[in-house]
């Protein structure tokens, strides 16, 4: 005798709650949305990324941590089915698997999230974190020749919307780094807070607040380049120029740096001098590169 058994399943909602916005939480959220599930990604920090966002490399492949995270961060930002809820903790869960309710406790940000661009200017100006002492800054005086060059740069960008970055790029191209008096002069003449200028000057790897050579040699130390001998290239440049990594020659002609990746894995091992890429480089070719730039005429 055949018997039929009727199975009843609890109803399921069409959304999921992922607690923790680290690399695992981000991937889980993306996998769930690929299956048609709306996801609420909750993290108690101010942004997603977790511990991996604080790492330089990952074991055992020695890959760049940001190279693993960046594609997921971009996809999360573009995915309309993932709602990120940061500065938030789960207070309680009620219900049963497949159909539950969560009570969340969200900390205030004290900013309009729809208008926030993440520039960080509010942090440096926060009266709770900083003691406000309005003082009249002393006028900055520079060498007349330097001041003339700076005035030409400022005049070039006068009237432009958001001119700060182009101004700093032109100054960097002219002087190769940002001496403190020059940053103070730019702040004085443009009205931008000095803290903003220092934050930008220290954030981007193409900028520097310490003396840097006219020719910056960047040796790629990414996994592919390292396996194909970039460490030997770095040691050869260091020996020829008599400087270590992140050091500059006394004549301010060369600065030697190592980078995690320059995006030229197909040309490994690769080296960048300024904007020029040298691919499939050998140790024997390094002296020729150094001679090429030593013999280059000075910029007008």
């Amino acid at each position: 005798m055949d018997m039929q058994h009727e199975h009843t399943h609890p109803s399921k909602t069409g959304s999921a709650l992922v607690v923790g916005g680290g690399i695992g939480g981000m991937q889980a959220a993306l996998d769930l949305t690929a299956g048609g599930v709306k996801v609420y990604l909750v993290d108690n920090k101010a942004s997603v990324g977790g511990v991996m966002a604080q790492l330089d490399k990952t074991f055992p492949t020695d890959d760049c941590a940001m190279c693993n995270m960046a594609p997921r961060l971009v996809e999360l930002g573009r995915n309309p089915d993932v709602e990120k809820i940061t500065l938030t903790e789960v207070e309680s869960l009620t219900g049963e698997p497949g159909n539950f309710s969560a009570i969340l406790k969200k900390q205030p940000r004290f900013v309009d999230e729809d208008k926030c661009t993440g520039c960080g200017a509010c942090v440096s100006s926060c009266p709770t974190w900083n003691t406000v002492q309005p003082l009249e800054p002393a006028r900055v005086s520079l060498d007349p020749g330097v001041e003339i060059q700076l005035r030409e740069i400022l005049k070039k960008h006068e009237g432009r919307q958001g001119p700060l970055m182009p101004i700093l790029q032109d100054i960097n191209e002219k002087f190769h780094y940002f001496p403190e008096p020059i940053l103070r002069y730019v702040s004085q003449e443009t009205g931008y807070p000095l803290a903003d200028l220092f934050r930008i000057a220290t954030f981007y790897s193409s900028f520097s607040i310490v003396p840097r050579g006219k020719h910056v040699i960047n040796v790629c130390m990414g996994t592919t380049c390292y396996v194909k001998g970039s460490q030997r290239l770095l040691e050869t440049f260091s020996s020829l120029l008599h400087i270590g990594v992140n050091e500059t020659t006394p004549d301010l002609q060369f600065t030697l740096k190592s980078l995690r990746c320059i995006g030229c894995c197909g040309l490994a091992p690769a080296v960048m001098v300024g904007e020029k890429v040298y691919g499939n480089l050998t140790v024997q070719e390094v002296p020729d590169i150094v001679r090429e730039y030593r013999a280059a005429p000075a910029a007008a």
Side-chain angles (χ1 to χ4, degrees):
M1 181 177 178
D2 293 333
M3 297 188 63
Q4 295 181 348
H5 298 277
E6 185 178 348
H7 298 279
T8 59
H9 299 280
S11 61
K12 296 183 179 181
T13 59
S15 61
L17 177 70
V18 176
V19 181
I23 190 72
M26 291 192 293
Q27 188 60 54
L30 294 172
D31 290 343
L32 285 166
T33 58
V37 179
K38 166 76 175 180
V39 174
Y40 297 94
L41 181 60
V42 174
D43 196 284
N44 60 358
K45 300 296 191 299
S47 60
V48 297
V51 175
M52 196 168 198
Q54 306 171 31
L55 302 179
D56 178 35
K57 292 185 178 181
T58 57
F59 179 84
T61 58
D62 216 23
D63 286 337
C64 159
M66 184 52 65
C67 295
N68 287 322
M69 282 188 55
R72 294 175 174 85
L73 289 171
V74 172
E75 194 171 350
L76 278 177
R78 295 176 176 175
N79 196 322
D81 292 328
V82 179
E83 182 174 337
K84 297 180 290 294
I85 310 175
T86 53
L87 288 177
T88 301
E89 295 184 351
V90 178
E91 289 267 290
S92 64
L93 287 174
T94 58
E96 56 187 5
N99 189 359
F100 63 88
S101 298
I103 296 179
L104 307 178
K105 181 180 180 181
K106 183 175 175 64
Q107 301 295 331
R109 282 186 180 271
F110 302 106
V111 296
D112 188 334
E113 295 184 33
D114 293 332
K115 296 180 179 179
C116 178
T117 61
C119 68
C122 59
V123 176
S124 60
S125 304
C126 178
T128 303
W129 285 21
N130 305 284
T131 302
V132 180
Q133 297 178 341
L135 299 175
E136 185 66 28
R139 298 287 298 179
V140 179
S141 59
L142 298 173
D143 176 84
V146 173
E147 185 171 356
I148 290 173
Q149 294 179 76
L150 290 177
R151 285 195 174 279
E152 290 176 353
I153 292 173
L154 295 176
K155 185 177 181 180
K156 173 183 173 183
H157 299 284
E158 190 175 5
R160 287 184 55 176
Q161 184 176 4
L164 182 55
M165 185 60 75
I167 288 173
L168 293 180
Q169 287 174 326
D170 284 357
I171 293 174
N172 186 59
E173 184 178 353
K174 177 72 70 174
F175 299 98
H176 311 301
Y177 80 108
F178 298 122
E180 182 179 334
I182 285 182
L183 290 179
R184 291 186 178 277
Y185 182 85
V186 173
S187 174
Q188 168 186 290
E189 297 301 313
T190 63
Y192 283 101
L194 184 61
D196 288 356
L197 272 67
F198 270 105
R199 183 169 59 250
I200 296 173
T202 55
F203 178 80
Y204 292 100
S205 60
S206 59
F207 293 157
S208 175
I209 58 173
V210 296
R212 194 167 57 179
K214 176 183 176 183
H215 307 295
V216 180
I217 302 171
N218 291 297
V219 181
C220 180
M221 300 297 286
T223 303
T224 306
C225 287
Y226 186 86
V227 168
K228 292 195 173 184
S230 61
Q231 180 64 39
R232 292 192 297 275
L233 295 177
L234 185 65
E235 292 169 355
T236 304
F237 275 112
S238 177
S239 176
L240 286 172
L241 298 172
H242 305 292
I243 56 174
V245 179
N246 294 324
E247 292 182 354
T248 300
T249 56
D251 60 1
L252 296 180
Q253 285 296 303
F254 296 96
T255 294
L256 182 61
K257 299 176 70 68
S258 64
L259 295 183
R260 295 306 175 196
C261 184
I262 62 175
C264 297
C265 298
L267 299 175
V271 170
M272 284 185 65
V273 183
E275 298 298 322
K276 187 175 181 179
V277 177
Y278 295 85
N280 301 312
L281 199 60
T282 64
V283 170
Q284 290 73 22
E285 295 173 291
V286 170
D288 293 334
I289 294 175
V290 173
R291 280 194 293 268
E292 174 187 346
Y293 286 92
R294 274 183 173 155

